[in-house]
Amino acid sequence: MYSFKNDYSEGAHPRILEALMKTNMEQTIGYGLDEYSGKAKELIQSLVGNTNANVHFLVGGTQTNQTALAAFLKPYQAAIAAETGHINVHETGAIEATGHKVVTAKTADGKLTPSLIKEVLEFHTDEHMVQPKLVYISNSTELGTVYSKDELEKLSDFCKEYDLYLYLDGARLGAALVSEKNDLTLKDIASLTDAFYIGGTKNGALFGEALVIIKEELKKDFRYMIKRHGGMFAKGRILGIQFLELFKDNLYYNLAEHADQMSMKLKEALQEKGYQFASDSYTNLQFPIMTNEEIARLEESFRFELIEKIDEDKSVIRLVTSFATTKEGVEEFIKKL
Amino acid sequence: MYSFKNDYSEGAHPRILEALMKTNMEQTIGYGLDEYSGKAKELIQSLVGNTNANVHFLVGGTQTNQTALAAFLKPYQAAIAAETGHINVHETGAIEATGHKVVTAKTADGKLTPSLIKEVLEFHTDEHMVQPKLVYISNSTELGTVYSKDELEKLSDFCKEYDLYLYLDGARLGAALVSEKNDLTLKDIASLTDAFYIGGTKNGALFGEALVIIKEELKKDFRYMIKRHGGMFAKGRILGIQFLELFKDNLYYNLAEHADQMSMKLKEALQEKGYQFASDSYTNLQFPIMTNEEIARLEESFRFELIEKIDEDKSVIRLVTSFATTKEGVEEFIKKL
Amino acid sequence: MYSFKNDYSEGAHPRILEALMKTNMEQTIGYGLDEYSGKAKELIQSLVGNTNANVHFLVGGTQTNQTALAAFLKPYQAAIAAETGHINVHETGAIEATGHKVVTAKTADGKLTPSLIKEVLEFHTDEHMVQPKLVYISNSTELGTVYSKDELEKLSDFCKEYDLYLYLDGARLGAALVSEKNDLTLKDIASLTDAFYIGGTKNGALFGEALVIIKEELKKDFRYMIKRHGGMFAKGRILGIQFLELFKDNLYYNLAEHADQMSMKLKEALQEKGYQFASDSYTNLQFPIMTNEEIARLEESFRFELIEKIDEDKSVIRLVTSFATTKEGVEEFIKKL
Amino acid sequence: MYSFKNDYSEGAHPRILEALMKTNMEQTIGYGLDEYSGKAKELIQSLVGNTNANVHFLVGGTQTNQTALAAFLKPYQAAIAAETGHINVHETGAIEATGHKVVTAKTADGKLTPSLIKEVLEFHTDEHMVQPKLVYISNSTELGTVYSKDELEKLSDFCKEYDLYLYLDGARLGAALVSEKNDLTLKDIASLTDAFYIGGTKNGALFGEALVIIKEELKKDFRYMIKRHGGMFAKGRILGIQFLELFKDNLYYNLAEHADQMSMKLKEALQEKGYQFASDSYTNLQFPIMTNEEIARLEESFRFELIEKIDEDKSVIRLVTSFATTKEGVEEFIKKL
């Protein structure tokens, strides 16, 4: 049964495993202080155009969000997120576990805007309420949408004006950066946000996320926070080696491009057949609306998530493609529509 | 420069990488609900002789301790540990980060005894103090020592009598179980403790720990806790596949045996040369006492940890061997003594 | 300037101070284990019709909510509250500070219903999301509304069916129980909820809330939680003496009745003058809608809260009456309308 | 049965209650923003000789310590305390509840010294361990001892040199400042520490502690922290009024003087009869060592704490005097020796 359930159904791109194999019996220092991790950090600093950026490799996305927000916020401060934001919905309270409220704004496309954030700020007036301090966005979003350069610039300006941190969850940053709707670069993101992470898990790594901290005041003692949250990886070089490989010969972008292309193929076929979509995505997630009957039929041959009931007859499903999605899988799905 | 710094200087045993390679492009469900993880859980249930045991795979030791203790303890309850216990010293307050105090007992060999625990209990008399509820031990300990079956039985009986949970940190369980001083089996441990983990990271896995929960009341909703603490691993099968391989053909024990043998070789050579030891270890850690001059000389050719100053002239160093330690490395070290 | 800002603008009812004066130099045991607190607990047990109820006296409302919810919930569990609920808006993240998410339902009148809760439950499907476990309601609500017996019974049945705890924040329970819309008794509340508190601070005490725990499994070791959260009051008898006095000769109800009568007097006058209300309250809070001009004029002579802008011209204000509100104050306000 | 169990067995000094009575029906703003609290803050600023000091009134000692340390420390930072320190032993893990480890030093007299702290710092070497950042001392200590000016200066210098905060728990600051061994003033303390509190509960107030924050970087947004920890007192003026009264006509010092005199009377009588002491206290706590037989006999007429067994025959008891201790009570005790 072919799976469009998520972008982590397979292992890693073969080059990742080969890189691990090649270096396997070398001795290195632990905890990310090895030479490979060092080189990978430098490479990422150069890719984001900021040699002062702090780069930390963590194992997964929730861990990265939790550790970063716990480090950046004072106890009484809150993160502002879209109601659909991963930290609000799908992290089992990992942010609250560190003592911070997530306050939310309703948004149809999963994206935040200055005016949505302003409403949140105006509601929080004094010390009887939490103090919103960090704006959490994801790119691409949980709905597959992407921020344009203009949108991110406006958010960035707004955050500076209101003394808010801007944090970008890049679990699917690859898929965003190669989307046909994208006009952002890694360098833009590094100059417009205070911290962000480059997702590996969902773009061909075995696992791993590269957190990039730009703002000076957020850098101090971050390794203490990683350890405190159980995220200090003993054989840290495994993360470094993977990111070195991902950013060699454009591999990271190529893998994301493949994922997006497979997704757009699905989208176009679905559009041709007249399906409506719950979100207009140009990345590796598609959200077609289908009758329960159609869904049941497709479930006989494919795995995917059921996202939301629209009414008694119709629901939204989510189709996810990845670096490993095969043309055959996509074509078979299209045939079965 | 050959390293005796720790047991995670290399990658993984080659069979581990091969197993990942072989299954790499298969599609599986995420988050440890895949078939490989399922089989690995069954295998471990059978190895520990308890088909009702709950098995969870986590990425690292601090993460496992943090998640388990946070799940097992009520907010006002504390863990009891040896002063040298990993959770007390080397986890950057990961247990306190979840709201729990670690209360300690002084012990020369890193091991707890009923009488040491009883003292702690007697000190904590009422609701103005934390309530000690869980006994944390490690086997082998941070000092390389191991619990005998008789010692563990006595601890287990005591904990039952005083309604305490007994938790065993098995980061180096392999090294303990094959030590010449050991008379415990996995089955013994499963029948004498309420929960424990089998360490993979320090015994030939790329990474990974298998937490085994025995006591019924500690099992409920544990996966929520894993996710809440950022430990839910997207490509969970990577953990399952590793543990399946580790427990095939006795690999886990063979790797630990190699580590212990290399360590005993060092110990014997050191003893012959008249060195004293800060701990009498029969596992993969050795703690010889050396003059600062000797240490300085050895540091020119080898990497190892400096543990503690004894006086102006002498210090304790720590030598760690692993599945990957070479005979040549050991012999070279002995030659340089 | 007369104040309708809140129900804690004055000290205590004189009988409260006299009771403290009379017992002032007696020696008692600390931390609420004294005879006065004992008697007050028994009195409350008898008033709520449950001699097995656990009664704890705490200093304030946020402290009570925080301590209770932290005690009742497992780390990954969440409270369900109305979006307007005190714990969601006005406690500076005190619940999140203990690691728990507050998930919310939108409701026009500040009250929760089974169907609103059911929606929340259906949204939370698995271990990637928090587990809603406790329903938090307030009576009277933050909007001055009250639950009818029928409504509370339906909530109670629903919570039992879905294995949820039902917790009632009674900061203004006095005002609710004497409202003309009320048909609940303390005994009803004790038989329909799992825990609730009887507010003293906002009904004539110097300070103090009486938490009543009904459900057996929530009682254990609660005093540890009080101390852990900094709420163990050294001279505990001060709380006991106050509650003994409050429930002597119906004082508690008489004070609340006065507050509600003053409020209804304001409401009727406002209605006569044609004002609309943001909430239809029959307790001691009124939410008239006024033009900014009217508000500015009234602010010259009275203190009250500005709650919310309706549009460019109109806003909602909040008028609060208390045990101490004078007829003269109310009449003066009416005159100035 | 006369009680020497603690210094909060009675209510308040009568002048405190009278002050509350006199102002009882005045309307004030809530949460400590009233005029009385304002005046009390100014008075304390002037008494400590620092008009920039931030003064906050809280209800109790554990609450004050918990809120202050949670505000001052970053998540991975720890407090250093004497093993006997209140935060380490008698707060049911209230500091750990906010995520911080308390690391301890052994000390016979309950006092910390630079060399004890230095040992702790040297043990904590890197990000695998917590980062000690705040030195917690109490004056008088839990053993009744006091810091001399010279000792506090040395601690202060050391803390500045090592970039540590110095925090003084003044639950019994009155008893310390009037002790015959004291040479410190409030102004000294304010110039030598970064924050400290002046205890009211144990020196004649109904309840209440005045936290004084000196160091600029610790002041920001502290009221958010008070609210977050459930310590924002609705009728805040009750705290302000009490502290205004306590520092009128030297009342605070007079009350403490009485307590210390009663204590010294006990000490001298005990010394005359040849008793040994577990601590050489010149404040309101005495720790005589007695045979179990003597203790049993005294317990027939008096209440006091049994602190610690010395051996099979002897134990340490604790006698506490207060503003309210009567000469008759003391003389009766002496007669019964």
Side-chain angles (χ1 to χ4, degrees):
Chain A
M1 202 143 64
Y2 201 77
S3 175
F4 294 101
K5 207 176 171 67
N6 55 48
D7 26 19
Y8 37 89
S9 295
E10 289 87 0
H13 188 271
R15 273 177 49 191
I16 298 289
L17 282 177
E18 280 154 27
L20 292 179
M21 215 101 179
K22 219 171 61 190
T23 56
N24 188 44
M25 295 307 285
E26 293 176 20
Q27 287 192 320
T28 60
I29 288 187
Y31 304 117
L33 300 176
D34 63 282
E35 220 180 309
Y36 292 107
S37 299
K39 277 185 196 162
K41 285 173 192 188
E42 279 172 29
L43 176 56
I44 288 175
Q45 286 172 330
S46 128
L47 288 168
V48 308
N50 184 331
T51 54
N52 289 319
N54 270 196
V55 180
H56 299 279
F57 299 115
L58 291 111
V59 165
T62 297
Q63 186 180 84
T64 306
N65 289 334
Q66 182 182 49
T67 308
L69 271 58
F72 300 163
L73 296 174
K74 295 199 178 117
Y76 53 88
Q77 294 179 330
I80 305 173
E83 225 177 53
T84 48
H86 202 261
I87 57 166
N88 188 47
V89 181
H90 275 111
E91 302 193 351
T92 315
I95 303 305
E96 290 82 1
T98 68
H100 301 284
K101 196 176 184 71
V102 177
V103 294
T104 58
K106 230 183 186 112
T107 152
D109 61 0
K111 297 198 279 180
L112 287 180
T113 61
S115 78
L116 285 170
I117 299 169
K118 203 167 180 200
E119 256 178 70
V120 171
L121 296 184
E122 284 170 356
F123 183 73
H124 290 86
T125 50
D126 63 23
E127 70 262 29
H128 296 273
M129 307 170 90
V130 292
Q131 182 181 95
K133 178 68 183 172
L134 178 147
V135 173
Y136 165 96
I137 58 172
S138 33
N139 194 33
S140 58
T141 70
E142 296 74 9
L143 303 182
T145 51
V146 299
Y147 283 87
S148 70
K149 189 169 175 183
D150 180 58
E151 288 169 339
L152 195 60
E153 281 171 348
K154 283 187 174 128
L155 272 182
S156 184
D157 288 347
F158 181 88
C159 287
K160 280 194 187 86
E161 188 183 343
Y162 287 87
D163 201 19
L164 302 171
Y165 301 132
L166 182 55
Y167 174 86
L168 186 149
D169 179 333
R172 294 194 174 98
L173 188 54
L177 290 182
V178 302
S179 166
E180 62 179 86
K181 293 292 183 191
N182 175 66
D183 60 353
L184 282 165
T185 64
L186 271 184
K187 285 180 188 170
D188 293 334
I189 289 173
S191 78
L192 295 171
T193 67
D194 296 305
F196 68 101
Y197 78 84
I198 303 171
T201 302
K202 293 176 177 169
N203 195 30
L206 265 182
F207 60 91
E209 326 292 322
L211 177 67
V212 182
I213 308 180
I214 302 295
K215 197 177 187 78
E216 206 51 42
E217 74 193 51
L218 303 180
K219 292 175 182 174
K220 192 154 182 275
D221 288 337
F222 195 81
R223 284 174 59 83
Y224 281 87
M225 289 300 292
I226 297 178
K227 179 78 182 194
R228 180 185 190 255
H229 285 282
M232 187 68 88
F233 197 55
K235 300 179 182 176
R237 103 264 199 88
I238 297 175
L239 288 161
I241 290 165
Q242 290 187 79
F243 274 94
L244 268 184
E245 193 64 33
L246 278 176
F247 283 107
K248 197 187 288 170
D249 313 328
N250 249 12
L251 181 61
Y252 189 77
Y253 294 104
N254 294 343
L255 296 183
E257 231 155 52
H258 176 79
D260 281 8
Q261 281 166 5
M262 293 298 104
S263 176
M264 291 309 290
K265 226 175 141 109
L266 285 169
K267 181 176 191 170
E268 283 152 26
L270 286 157
Q271 281 177 323
E272 270 173 35
K273 310 242 171 182
Y275 287 96
Q276 300 293 309
F277 292 78
S279 175
D280 188 26
S281 163
Y282 291 79
T283 61
N284 71 321
L285 313 179
Q286 295 300 335
F287 296 88
I289 299 167
M290 295 189 172
T291 64
N292 299 338
E293 207 183 332
E294 287 166 324
I295 293 169
R297 193 170 40 75
L298 286 167
E299 277 175 333
E300 287 167 24
S301 315
F302 302 96
R303 274 200 194 127
F304 49 80
E305 292 277 348
L306 192 69
I307 294 296
E308 195 191 9
K309 261 192 185 180
I310 296 281
D311 56 32
E312 279 312 294
D313 300 323
K314 287 182 167 174
S315 294
V316 182
I317 67 165
R318 189 184 72 164
L319 302 173
V320 188
T321 57
S322 82
F323 82 96
T325 302
T326 61
K327 261 188 209 171
E328 294 71 30
V330 169
E331 282 162 4
E332 207 185 314
F333 186 88
I334 293 173
K335 216 161 39 184
K336 286 271 167 63
L337 281 176
Chain B
M1 203 145 64
Y2 202 76
S3 175
F4 294 101
K5 205 173 171 69
N6 55 48
D7 26 19
Y8 36 89
S9 295
E10 289 88 0
H13 188 270
R15 272 177 52 190
I16 297 290
L17 282 178
E18 281 154 25
L20 292 179
M21 214 102 179
K22 218 171 63 190
T23 55
N24 188 44
M25 294 307 285
E26 293 177 20
Q27 287 193 319
T28 60
I29 288 186
Y31 303 116
L33 300 176
D34 64 281
E35 220 179 307
Y36 292 107
S37 299
K39 276 186 195 160
K41 285 172 191 187
E42 279 172 28
L43 176 57
I44 288 175
Q45 286 171 330
S46 128
L47 290 168
V48 307
N50 183 330
T51 54
N52 289 320
N54 270 196
V55 180
H56 299 279
F57 299 115
L58 290 111
V59 165
T62 297
Q63 185 179 85
T64 305
N65 289 335
Q66 180 181 51
T67 309
L69 270 58
F72 299 164
L73 296 174
K74 294 196 179 122
Y76 52 90
Q77 293 179 331
I80 305 173
E83 226 177 50
T84 48
H86 201 261
I87 57 166
N88 187 47
V89 180
H90 276 111
E91 302 194 351
T92 316
I95 303 306
E96 290 82 1
T98 68
H100 301 285
K101 197 178 184 69
V102 177
V103 294
T104 59
K106 230 182 186 114
T107 153
D109 61 1
K111 296 198 280 179
L112 288 180
T113 62
S115 79
L116 284 170
I117 300 170
K118 204 170 179 196
E119 257 178 69
V120 171
L121 296 183
E122 283 169 356
F123 182 74
H124 289 86
T125 50
D126 62 23
E127 70 263 29
H128 296 273
M129 306 170 90
V130 293
Q131 183 181 93
K133 178 67 182 175
L134 178 146
V135 173
Y136 165 96
I137 57 172
S138 34
N139 194 32
S140 59
T141 70
E142 296 75 9
L143 304 182
T145 52
V146 300
Y147 284 87
S148 71
K149 189 168 175 182
D150 181 58
E151 288 169 338
L152 194 61
E153 280 171 350
K154 282 187 176 129
L155 271 182
S156 184
D157 288 348
F158 180 87
C159 287
K160 280 194 186 85
E161 189 183 342
Y162 287 87
D163 201 19
L164 301 170
Y165 301 132
L166 182 54
Y167 173 86
L168 185 148
D169 180 331
R172 294 194 174 99
L173 189 53
L177 291 181
V178 301
S179 165
E180 63 181 85
K181 292 293 182 190
N182 175 67
D183 61 352
L184 281 165
T185 64
L186 270 184
K187 285 180 187 168
D188 293 334
I189 288 172
S191 79
L192 295 171
T193 67
D194 297 306
F196 67 101
Y197 79 83
I198 304 171
T201 301
K202 293 175 177 168
N203 194 28
L206 266 183
F207 60 91
E209 326 293 322
L211 176 68
V212 183
I213 308 179
I214 302 296
K215 195 175 188 79
E216 207 50 43
E217 74 194 52
L218 302 181
K219 293 176 182 173
K220 194 156 181 274
D221 289 336
F222 194 81
R223 284 175 59 82
Y224 281 86
M225 290 299 292
I226 297 178
K227 179 80 183 192
R228 181 184 188 260
H229 286 281
M232 187 68 89
F233 196 55
K235 301 180 180 175
R237 102 264 197 91
I238 298 175
L239 289 160
I241 290 164
Q242 291 187 80
F243 274 94
L244 268 183
E245 194 63 33
L246 278 176
F247 284 107
K248 197 187 287 170
D249 313 329
N250 250 12
L251 180 61
Y252 189 77
Y253 294 104
N254 295 343
L255 296 183
E257 232 155 51
H258 175 79
D260 282 8
Q261 281 166 5
M262 293 298 102
S263 175
M264 291 308 289
K265 226 173 140 108
L266 285 168
K267 180 175 191 170
E268 283 152 26
L270 286 156
Q271 282 176 321
E272 270 174 36
K273 311 241 170 185
Y275 287 96
Q276 300 293 309
F277 292 80
S279 174
D280 189 25
S281 163
Y282 292 79
T283 61
N284 70 321
L285 314 178
Q286 296 300 337
F287 297 87
I289 299 168
M290 296 190 170
T291 64
N292 298 339
E293 206 184 333
E294 287 167 325
I295 293 169
R297 194 170 38 77
L298 286 167
E299 278 176 334
E300 287 167 22
S301 315
F302 303 96
R303 274 201 194 126
F304 48 82
E305 292 276 350
L306 192 70
I307 294 297
E308 197 190 6
K309 264 193 183 180
I310 296 281
D311 56 32
E312 281 310 295
D313 300 323
K314 288 182 168 178
S315 295
V316 182
I317 66 165
R318 190 184 72 164
L319 301 172
V320 188
T321 57
S322 82
F323 82 97
T325 303
T326 61
K327 261 188 210 170
E328 293 71 29
V330 170
E331 282 162 3
E332 207 186 312
F333 187 89
I334 292 172
K335 220 163 32 186
K336 286 271 168 61
L337 281 177
Chain C
M1 205 145 62
Y2 202 77
S3 175
F4 293 101
K5 206 174 171 71
N6 54 49
D7 27 18
Y8 37 89
S9 295
E10 289 88 1
H13 189 270
R15 274 177 52 190
I16 297 290
L17 282 177
E18 280 155 25
L20 292 178
M21 213 101 180
K22 221 171 61 189
T23 56
N24 188 44
M25 295 306 287
E26 293 177 20
Q27 287 192 320
T28 60
I29 288 186
Y31 303 117
L33 300 175
D34 63 283
E35 220 179 306
Y36 292 107
S37 299
K39 276 184 194 161
K41 285 172 191 187
E42 279 172 29
L43 177 56
I44 288 175
Q45 286 172 329
S46 129
L47 289 168
V48 308
N50 184 331
T51 54
N52 289 320
N54 270 197
V55 180
H56 299 279
F57 299 116
L58 291 111
V59 165
T62 297
Q63 185 180 83
T64 306
N65 289 334
Q66 181 181 50
T67 309
L69 270 58
F72 299 164
L73 295 174
K74 294 195 179 122
Y76 53 88
Q77 293 179 332
I80 305 173
E83 226 178 48
T84 48
H86 201 262
I87 56 166
N88 188 47
V89 180
H90 277 109
E91 302 194 351
T92 316
I95 303 306
E96 290 82 1
T98 69
H100 302 285
K101 195 177 184 72
V102 177
V103 293
T104 58
K106 230 182 186 114
T107 152
D109 62 0
K111 297 198 280 180
L112 288 179
T113 61
S115 78
L116 285 170
I117 300 169
K118 205 171 178 194
E119 257 177 69
V120 171
L121 296 184
E122 284 170 355
F123 182 74
H124 290 86
T125 50
D126 62 23
E127 70 262 29
H128 296 273
M129 307 170 90
V130 293
Q131 184 181 93
K133 178 66 182 177
L134 178 146
V135 172
Y136 166 95
I137 58 172
S138 34
N139 194 32
S140 57
T141 70
E142 295 75 9
L143 304 182
T145 51
V146 300
Y147 284 86
S148 71
K149 188 169 174 180
D150 181 58
E151 288 169 340
L152 194 61
E153 281 171 350
K154 281 185 175 132
L155 272 182
S156 184
D157 289 348
F158 180 88
C159 287
K160 281 194 187 85
E161 190 184 343
Y162 287 87
D163 201 18
L164 303 170
Y165 301 132
L166 183 54
Y167 173 85
L168 185 148
D169 178 331
R172 295 194 173 98
L173 189 54
L177 291 181
V178 301
S179 165
E180 62 181 87
K181 293 293 182 192
N182 174 67
D183 60 352
L184 282 165
T185 64
L186 270 184
K187 286 181 187 169
D188 294 334
I189 288 171
S191 78
L192 295 171
T193 67
D194 297 305
F196 67 102
Y197 80 83
I198 304 172
T201 301
K202 292 176 177 168
N203 195 29
L206 266 183
F207 61 90
E209 326 293 321
L211 177 67
V212 183
I213 308 179
I214 302 296
K215 196 175 187 80
E216 207 51 43
E217 74 194 51
L218 303 180
K219 293 177 182 173
K220 194 156 180 275
D221 289 336
F222 194 83
R223 284 175 60 81
Y224 281 87
M225 289 300 291
I226 297 178
K227 179 80 182 192
R228 180 184 190 259
H229 286 281
M232 187 67 89
F233 196 55
K235 301 181 181 174
R237 102 267 197 87
I238 297 175
L239 289 160
I241 290 165
Q242 291 187 79
F243 274 95
L244 268 183
E245 194 63 34
L246 278 176
F247 283 108
K248 197 187 285 169
D249 313 328
N250 250 12
L251 181 61
Y252 189 78
Y253 294 104
N254 294 343
L255 296 183
E257 232 156 52
H258 176 78
D260 282 8
Q261 280 166 6
M262 293 299 102
S263 175
M264 291 308 290
K265 227 175 140 106
L266 285 169
K267 180 175 192 170
E268 282 152 26
L270 286 156
Q271 282 175 323
E272 270 173 35
K273 310 244 170 184
Y275 288 96
Q276 300 294 310
F277 292 79
S279 174
D280 189 26
S281 162
Y282 292 80
T283 61
N284 70 322
L285 313 179
Q286 295 300 336
F287 297 88
I289 298 168
M290 295 189 170
T291 64
N292 298 339
E293 205 185 334
E294 288 166 324
I295 292 170
R297 194 170 39 77
L298 286 167
E299 278 176 334
E300 288 167 22
S301 316
F302 302 96
R303 273 201 196 128
F304 48 82
E305 293 276 349
L306 192 69
I307 295 296
E308 196 192 7
K309 263 194 183 180
I310 296 281
D311 55 33
E312 280 310 295
D313 300 323
K314 288 181 168 177
S315 294
V316 182
I317 66 165
R318 189 184 72 164
L319 302 172
V320 188
T321 57
S322 82
F323 82 97
T325 303
T326 62
K327 261 189 209 168
E328 294 70 29
V330 169
E331 283 162 4
E332 209 186 311
F333 186 89
I334 292 172
K335 219 161 36 184
K336 286 270 167 64
L337 281 177
Chain D
M1 203 145 64
Y2 202 77
S3 174
F4 294 101
K5 206 176 170 69
N6 54 48
D7 26 19
Y8 38 88
S9 295
E10 289 87 0
H13 189 271
R15 272 177 50 190
I16 297 290
L17 282 177
E18 280 154 26
L20 292 179
M21 214 100 178
K22 219 171 62 190
T23 56
N24 188 44
M25 295 307 286
E26 293 175 20
Q27 287 192 321
T28 60
I29 288 186
Y31 303 118
L33 301 176
D34 63 282
E35 220 179 308
Y36 293 106
S37 299
K39 277 185 195 162
K41 286 173 190 186
E42 280 171 28
L43 176 56
I44 287 175
Q45 286 171 330
S46 127
L47 289 167
V48 307
N50 184 330
T51 54
N52 289 318
N54 270 196
V55 180
H56 299 279
F57 299 115
L58 290 111
V59 165
T62 297
Q63 186 180 84
T64 306
N65 289 334
Q66 181 181 50
T67 308
L69 271 57
F72 300 164
L73 296 173
K74 294 198 179 119
Y76 52 89
Q77 294 178 331
I80 306 173
E83 224 177 54
T84 48
H86 202 260
I87 56 165
N88 187 47
V89 181
H90 276 111
E91 303 195 350
T92 316
I95 303 306
E96 289 83 0
T98 68
H100 301 285
K101 195 177 185 71
V102 177
V103 294
T104 59
K106 229 182 187 114
T107 152
D109 61 1
K111 296 198 280 180
L112 288 180
T113 62
S115 77
L116 285 169
I117 299 169
K118 203 167 180 200
E119 256 179 69
V120 171
L121 296 184
E122 284 169 354
F123 182 74
H124 290 86
T125 50
D126 62 22
E127 71 262 29
H128 296 273
M129 307 171 90
V130 292
Q131 182 181 96
K133 178 68 183 173
L134 178 147
V135 172
Y136 165 96
I137 58 172
S138 33
N139 193 33
S140 57
T141 70
E142 297 74 8
L143 303 182
T145 51
V146 300
Y147 283 87
S148 71
K149 190 168 173 182
D150 180 58
E151 288 169 338
L152 195 60
E153 281 171 350
K154 282 187 175 127
L155 272 181
S156 184
D157 289 347
F158 180 88
C159 287
K160 281 195 187 84
E161 188 183 343
Y162 287 88
D163 200 19
L164 302 171
Y165 301 132
L166 181 56
Y167 173 87
L168 185 149
D169 179 332
R172 294 192 175 99
L173 188 54
L177 291 181
V178 302
S179 167
E180 61 180 86
K181 293 292 182 192
N182 175 66
D183 59 354
L184 281 165
T185 65
L186 271 184
K187 284 179 188 171
D188 293 334
I189 289 173
S191 78
L192 295 171
T193 68
D194 296 306
F196 67 102
Y197 79 84
I198 304 171
T201 301
K202 293 175 177 169
N203 195 29
L206 265 183
F207 59 92
E209 326 293 322
L211 177 67
V212 182
I213 309 179
I214 302 296
K215 197 179 186 78
E216 206 51 42
E217 74 193 51
L218 302 181
K219 293 175 180 173
K220 192 153 182 275
D221 289 337
F222 195 82
R223 284 175 61 81
Y224 280 87
M225 289 300 290
I226 297 178
K227 179 79 181 194
R228 181 185 189 255
H229 284 282
M232 188 66 91
F233 196 54
K235 300 179 181 175
R237 101 266 198 88
I238 298 175
L239 289 160
I241 290 165
Q242 290 187 81
F243 273 94
L244 268 183
E245 194 63 32
L246 278 175
F247 283 107
K248 197 187 286 168
D249 313 328
N250 250 13
L251 181 61
Y252 189 78
Y253 295 103
N254 294 344
L255 296 182
E257 231 155 52
H258 176 78
D260 282 8
Q261 281 166 5
M262 292 299 103
S263 175
M264 291 308 290
K265 226 175 140 112
L266 286 169
K267 181 175 191 171
E268 284 152 25
L270 286 156
Q271 282 177 321
E272 270 173 36
K273 310 244 171 182
Y275 288 96
Q276 301 293 309
F277 292 78
S279 175
D280 188 25
S281 163
Y282 292 79
T283 61
N284 71 321
L285 313 179
Q286 295 299 337
F287 298 88
I289 299 167
M290 296 190 170
T291 65
N292 299 338
E293 207 184 332
E294 287 166 324
I295 292 169
R297 192 169 41 75
L298 286 166
E299 277 176 332
E300 287 167 23
S301 315
F302 302 96
R303 274 200 195 127
F304 49 80
E305 292 277 350
L306 193 69
I307 294 297
E308 196 191 7
K309 262 192 185 182
I310 297 281
D311 56 32
E312 279 312 294
D313 299 322
K314 288 183 168 174
S315 294
V316 182
I317 67 165
R318 189 184 72 165
L319 302 173
V320 188
T321 57
S322 82
F323 82 96
T325 303
T326 61
K327 263 188 208 170
E328 294 70 30
V330 169
E331 282 162 4
E332 208 186 313
F333 187 89
I334 293 172
K335 218 162 35 183
K336 286 271 168 61
L337 282 176

